[in-house]
Each structure stands twice: as structure tokens, then as C-alpha cells.
Amino acid sequence: LTGQSNEVIERAVMKAKDKGIPVVAAVGNSGARAKPLYPAAYESAVAVTAVSSSLKVYRRAGQGGHVDFAAPGVGLEVQSPRGKIELKTGTSFAVPYVTSALAVMRQARPQTTVDQLVSELARSARDLGDPGKDDTFGWGLVQLAGICRLIQP
């Protein structure tokens, strides 16, 4: 789901954040020079780009100041509806990595705000581009190691 700005979707994303629910969105596959796509470009969304196993950004991924994180999304093996394994690429395929990390963090710390969760994820991200947050990789590659230890059995 990517496209132009939409007031109804923007309000829904903001309302979710206000209720402590992070909305994670793909930056889109229109290329580095394309205008930012929504809902990823909303300030209240968590915008995700895709990288390859060699940590190169997906050649068609959107870029800009709204990019928050990078996650695997190039050449991923996924099961097709017919049960076959296919290779898929796109920023949408990177979103589940960040969504899962934030969901586990939320379960471990239910009172934490979305901004606090994102800040914690940013501190643990592997910086891939210019130091700090950049327009290509955001804060960097999400690191899932240790996240599952947050949940106590």
C-alpha cells in the first residue's frame, strides 16, 4: 500500500500512534528520485526500505528523510499461493522484519510509547550509510538478535 497523501489514512496512522500502535510502511519501489510515497512519508509512520544480503539498498527503493530503517527485502524466498518457493523483491517484503521487532518490543514493554520503541530500535540498528540517520538506510539495518529475549516465558 503506497501512494499519494490521503487525509483519511494520515488521520488513521496518527490515531494508531497516539494509541501506542506503530504503523510500519514500505517506502515504495518507485526509485530514489521519486517523491516520497505514503503512508511511509507520514511523520507518524515507521518507514522501511529494502536491502540485499550484501547490504545494498534495493535499486528501486524510495529514498528521503522519511526513511527510518532498512531490512532484508531483496531476493527473499517466499512461498507462493500454489506452494512453490519463489524469489521476491521489494520494500514491502522488508516491512515484516521491522513490524515483528516492534511487536515483540511492545509486548515486553506495553507502556512504552511508539517514539520510545523506535528510538530503541534505532540505537540497536546497524548503520549502513552515512553516520547516523540518512536518506538511504534511515537509522540502518534492524537487528533482531536479542529482541526475542525481551519476552519472559
Side-chain angles (χ1 to χ4, degrees):
L1 169 67
T2 60
Q4 301 303 311
S5 183
N6 177 297
E7 188 177 331
V8 173
I9 293 176
E10 183 177 15
R11 281 197 313 257
V13 171
M14 286 191 312
K15 193 170 199 171
K17 182 180 178 185
D18 290 345
K19 291 184 179 233
I21 303 166
V23 174
V24 185
V27 297
N29 305 320
S30 297
R33 296 190 179 150
K35 291 181 180 179
L37 295 174
Y38 296 86
Y42 293 130
E43 182 68 30
S44 51
V46 180
V48 181
T49 191
V51 294
S52 66
S53 60
S54 61
L55 304 180
K56 304 284 187 218
V57 71
Y58 174 41
R59 65 180 178 81
R60 292 180 52 199
Q63 295 184 21
H66 63 295
V67 178
D68 292 307
F69 296 103
V74 177
L76 299 181
E77 291 183 351
V78 298
Q79 187 169 354
S80 75
R82 292 183 296 273
K84 294 184 177 188
I85 300 298
E86 300 177 348
L87 290 181
K88 295 289 186 176
T89 296
T91 58
S92 294
F93 291 99
V95 168
Y97 288 89
V98 177
T99 303
S100 298
L102 290 170
V104 170
M105 293 166 71
R106 160 63 69 228
Q107 184 173 350
R109 297 184 192 95
Q111 301 307 316
T112 307
T113 68
V114 171
D115 288 337
Q116 290 169 327
L117 292 171
V118 170
S119 291
E120 185 176 337
L121 200 58
R123 282 191 298 277
S124 67
R126 179 178 171 186
D127 200 346
L128 296 178
D130 293 334
K133 189 173 189 234
D134 63 63
D135 290 353
T136 303
F137 301 101
W139 292 108
L141 182 66
V142 168
Q143 300 296 291
L144 300 179
I147 296 246
C148 290
R149 283 180 264 177
L150 293 175
I151 298 177
Q152 299 298 319

